Structure formats: C-alpha cells, structure tokens
Amino acid sequence: MPEGDTVWQTAQRLHQALAGAPLIRSDLRVPRLATADLTGRQVLEVVPRGKHLLTRVEGGLTLHSHLRMDGSWQVYGPDERWRGGPHHQIRAILATAAHTAVGYRLPVLELLRTGDEDRIVGHLGPDLLGPDWDPDEALRRLLADPARPLGEALLDQRNLAGIGNVYKSELCFVLRVSPWLPIGEVPSPERLVAHAKKLLEANRNRRARVTTAEPRRDRRLWVYGRPGRPCLRCGTPVRAADQGRAGQERSTFWCPSCQAGPQGPGPGPS
C-alpha cells in the first residue's frame, strides 16, 4: 500500500497537471458515478490527506480517491501513450487541454461536496506531511492505548496519518525497539513522532525511498523486505512475521538483536 510520501508525490503531480484549467474530459468509471460529468469545471487543487487524495473542483465538489494496494494515478501529455495498465482497469479520466490524468485500479472513487470532506477524512490523525501536523496531538493519540503493540499503533491512521508498512518497520528499527513492544513502554515516545516526521519529510521528493543513507539499491532500507538477510547494523538475520488483528495482518520486519522487547509470534519466517 502506498505510504504518505507516495500519496504526497501523486497529489503534487496531479495538481501541477490539472489545477487552474477547465476539464475538457471527465470519465468516472464506477457505477454510482456513471452519470457524473465534471467537464467544463476548473480544477482548483489536488491535496493529500494521509493516504487519501482530494481533487477539488469548481462548484464545491471534491473527487475523493484512495490507492490502497495497487491503485495509481498517471499523468500523460496530449499525444503520449497510456502505460498504466490495460484499458479495463481504468476507473477515472480527467483531462485538460495540456494533460490527462488516468486513474488505474482505484478501489475508492467518490464524488462529494467539498464541505463534506470530514465525512471521509475527519477521523484521521495529524498528517505527517500536511499543514495540520501536530506532534503533541499525534503523541496523545498514540499513547491513548498504552498496551497496544507499537507496530499496530503506527499503522492506525487515526493516530497519525501517512505511515504504512515500510515506515512502520523502519521506525521501529531506528528506535531499536520491537514492533510488538507496547506503545506505553517505548522509551521517550516523542522521539518516535519526531523520527516519523523526519523520515517522511526526507523522502517526499525522492523517487526511491531511503532510510539508511545508503545509495545502493539493496541497502536503502534497514529491515523492510529483508527477511533472512543480515541486519545492516549487526549481521543477525532479519526476521519477518504477520502482525495485527485477525483479518488485518500486515508483514512486519525486525532485527531480534538490535530491537529490544517481545520478539513476535514464534520464530516466524526467515
């Protein structure tokens, strides 16, 4: 699932391509929006909110989309070939005279009044890359359930918005604590919030996500996606296991030597 930095980059591309110009084509390919037509309306702005994308258009309307696991928005020039996937995977087309934005495999696409945006994003915690960022509020929300495992608390967008599976694992490694450590037992939890902000800020303008400052492709991340491989810090094999409530499990990666605390549900895959 795309993380906050990826969604932020997508919003920037869409805003640069569409904002300030009237739409000459609007094609929303989901049943409940089959008759909706935004043609002639000017796109005012495209903004990210956590992992949500809000495309605001004239007339007080917002097109809300969410990428989830494999959705994407691609931007093309007038004569450029579309390469985002087969035609039947297209869910939205928004075009100005200069650019066409094509949404592929979008699992969430809805049109609502801009004044009603809180209905879909009002539950989110402070956005790590947004103007509403409030580290004190994010920390308060994280610590509201002190017994909750750190990894689960970080993924809960109601606590702070923008962290996905990659940053969850990488943040726990940077802080040298297990993803299964109760959030209330994390030493100096304010460091957790500060590091989360720092990592997303550092990567929001990068094409390739980096948390280690290593330029080599296979050493850009400390533990994520490295099960069984040597920890870049101590050489111990990185472990992986599912974490989360039944039906909501997500893969978690950690170093059992570098990270203190509970070591997950049994040995886990290597």
Side-chain angles (χ1 to χ4, degrees):
M1 181 178 291
E3 316 237 345
D5 52 356
T6 301
V7 176
W8 188 90
Q9 292 172 9
T10 300
Q12 295 301 302
R13 289 198 304 272
L14 291 173
H15 181 83
Q16 292 170 7
L18 302 176
L23 293 171
I24 62 172
R25 182 179 181 184
S26 165
D27 188 356
L28 305 178
R29 300 180 180 182
V30 295
R32 63 178 174 176
L33 298 181
T35 61
D37 188 3
L38 301 176
T39 303
R41 297 176 186 257
Q42 180 173 296
V43 175
L44 303 177
E45 59 182 346
V46 183
V47 298
R49 180 70 173 87
K51 299 182 182 183
H52 299 255
L53 287 162
L54 304 172
T55 301
R56 296 168 179 156
V57 299
E58 278 184 320
L61 295 176
T62 295
L63 183 66
H64 166 235
S65 58
H66 196 297
L67 306 180
R68 289 196 179 163
M69 293 302 294
D70 62 348
S72 72
W73 279 98
Q74 304 294 327
V75 175
Y76 304 106
D79 301 317
E80 191 175 356
R81 184 172 64 88
W82 298 0
R83 304 177 303 278
H87 195 72
H88 70 269
Q89 292 182 349
I90 296 174
R91 297 293 176 266
I93 302 171
L94 299 175
T96 66
H99 298 97
T100 299
V102 184
Y104 293 90
R105 302 171 298 279
L106 299 175
V108 176
L109 190 69
E110 58 182 326
L111 190 63
L112 67 154
R113 304 296 304 182
T114 300
D116 294 334
E117 287 179 359
D118 273 357
R119 177 172 62 80
I120 53 173
V121 296
H123 67 287
L124 297 175
D127 189 336
L128 284 154
L129 294 178
D132 71 319
W133 173 243
D134 183 340
D136 294 332
E137 175 62 14
L139 184 60
R140 185 194 68 79
R141 292 186 180 215
L142 283 168
L143 296 178
D145 185 358
R148 193 175 192 187
L150 173 58
E152 294 182 34
L154 286 173
L155 280 185
D156 191 336
Q157 301 299 293
R158 296 170 298 181
N159 291 332
L160 65 173
I163 290 181
N165 225 29
V166 178
Y167 285 119
K168 172 196 70 176
S169 295
E170 295 295 289
L171 278 167
C172 292
F173 181 86
V174 169
L175 293 173
R176 294 178 175 261
V177 293
S178 164
W180 281 270
L181 184 70
I183 182 71
E185 298 179 22
V186 174
S188 303
E190 65 277 1
R191 292 178 56 241
L192 171 68
V193 174
H195 275 293
K197 174 71 168 173
K198 181 178 179 180
L199 283 180
L200 267 76
E201 286 277 4
N203 282 285
R204 68 178 182 177
N205 289 314
R206 289 175 174 163
R207 297 186 64 181
R209 187 176 291 124
V210 179
T211 61
T212 64
E214 282 271 5
R216 284 174 45 182
R217 183 172 183 177
D218 63 339
R219 299 174 70 90
R220 291 173 180 164
L221 301 177
W222 288 110
V223 290
Y224 182 82
R226 297 177 54 85
R229 300 176 66 184
C231 169
L232 296 177
R233 180 180 286 153
C234 74
T236 300
V238 171
R239 287 179 56 187
D242 286 339
Q243 182 179 26
R245 298 172 183 173
Q248 300 178 0
E249 302 94 337
R250 300 292 303 278
S251 296
T252 295
F253 304 86
W254 81 103
C255 172
S257 296
C258 291
Q259 297 174 248
Q263 294 300 306
S270 62

